[in-house]
Amino acid sequence: MNYISTRNKYNISDNNFSKITMEGLAPDGGLYIPDNFPSLTSKEIYEMTNLSYSELFTEIIYKFCGSCVNKSDIYKIAADAYKDFGSEDLAPLTNYNDNIKILELYHGPTLAFKDFALQFLSRIFNLFLERGNKKITIIGATSGDTGSAAIEAFKNNPRANIIIIHPKGKVSEFQRRQMTTINANNVFNVALEGNFDDCQAVVKKLLIDKEFNDKHCLASINSINWGRVLAQVVYYFYSVFKVLKHDNGQFINFSVPTGNFGDAYAGYVAKKMGLPINKIVIATNSNDILSKFFQSGIYKVSEVIPTLSPSMDIQVASNFERLLFEYLNFNSALVTEYMTKLNTHGSFEISKEILYELNKTFIGVSVNDEITIERIRNCYSKKNIVIDPHTSVGLEAACSANLKGINIVLSTAHPVKFSSAVNQAIDTIPSLPNKYKNIFTLKEKYQSMPNDINEIKNFISINSSL
Ligand SMILES: *Cc1c(COP(=O)(O)O)cnc(C)c1O
């Protein structure tokens, strides 16, 4: 399998899964995608339906690795990565009603779906680092959940220091404490004066600064990392198989609470591989750049609005570039032109024909805070299910899209992570899992910093692992 960059499709190298996973962002500023997606026949898909999660993971991921990793190594990684996900079933599917099901993806160690990707990524990184006897410095921007999932996955790793940048005052207290109370020598937290897009921009700048990057062996664990997207493909298969066992022949749609478009894009990859997915609903909060795009074909940046679902308070949805590249016929010059336009004019527009093609799969729905609260309340009073505000956005979008068939809503976080928002809707306080009983009294460690690339570089130089 070969990987190409969205900004320079001629930059192909053979068998480079390990390289592109460690690199995260391509040196030309683009994102990596396979030059050819593996596709499965319906017979091959049918034969996977009874596999365990780790077996299924192995079969799917192996197809993307070329000869970089062998199957038994992938299986070992999966079995180890997913051992702390609460129950035997890593991703329980509960009934909301006959047509809508909720896929609980928050039973991992930090209570959000991002554990699925980061627990895998830390282990595959280690495999490659041990092979090359190397060390790295991991940098990441977080709107809240990536940071804790990454820190949890990499803490005490002898081959990596990890530096996580979060927007100061813009993540929930529980989220912040999940990052800042981890007592490990290789973990560093930065609270940046800015929003998530500022944090993400800083990380991108550092990654494409070749000299600095080479010096500190930077690696990125943000959702632009192909390895993260890939790990998320698996639960789409897993949940569709569960539904097919009962409801064969129905359309299956997904509703995905969306910020950086990594999770939704993973669903699209599953569909491209042949999994029978009909529509993917892109559910956003009031930061509705993507939902508006899928309605109008216009991608227009505006100010980030703080909402009750902060992990989706994002304007520039990085992973979207992968989809755009494909729908622009793999024309990297055109992608570059659009991205430049976005930077200089704050918007671009695609043709009606391309929008029509995109809408065969994607529908955009945005949900404001008031409706988010209303849906949490309604879900609890009618179904006795407590959901977090991100899941509420997804559920509301599924209800309002009202698509035929079975609709699976991705439940992306445990309600306890956002208890103050949940409590605006209902009186029930989600109970803290045992592991987190002390979180509000533990000592925090983090560094506040202005949005200044030189100060951040300085901080990294002091705290890199090299
Ligand atoms: C990160 C996150 C999202 C958004 O996922 P993307 O892959 O960035 O679209 C949604 N919900 C929660 C709880 C998250 O942590």
Side-chain angles (χ1 to χ4, degrees), residues 141-178:
T142 186
S143 56
D145 294 325
T146 290
S148 55
I151 288 171
E152 182 69 31
F154 284 96
K155 68 180 181 194
N156 298 321
N157 186 321
R159 295 194 175 272
N161 278 8
I162 176 162
I163 298 164
I164 295 293
I165 306 174
H166 72 264
K168 188 172 181 174
K170 296 192 173 70
V171 302
S172 81
E173 182 180 3
F174 187 84
Q175 287 180 309
R176 190 190 69 238
R177 287 181 164 273
Q178 275 188 311

Side-chain angles (χ1 to χ4, degrees), residues 52 69 88 116 149 160 169 176 184 234 288 319 385 400 426 454-455:
S52 72
V69 196
E88 197 138 308
F116 277 91
R176 190 190 69 238
V234 180
D288 54 2
N319 276 292
I385 304 173
S400 81
I426 57 181
N454 289 321
E455 285 206 32

Side-chain angles (χ1 to χ4, degrees), residues 112-114 145 223 257-263 311-312 390 412-413 418:
F113 81 96
K114 291 186 170 81
D145 294 325
S223 72
T258 294
N260 233 339
F261 198 63
D263 209 5
S311 301
M312 309 196 298
H390 304 79
T412 48
F418 303 96

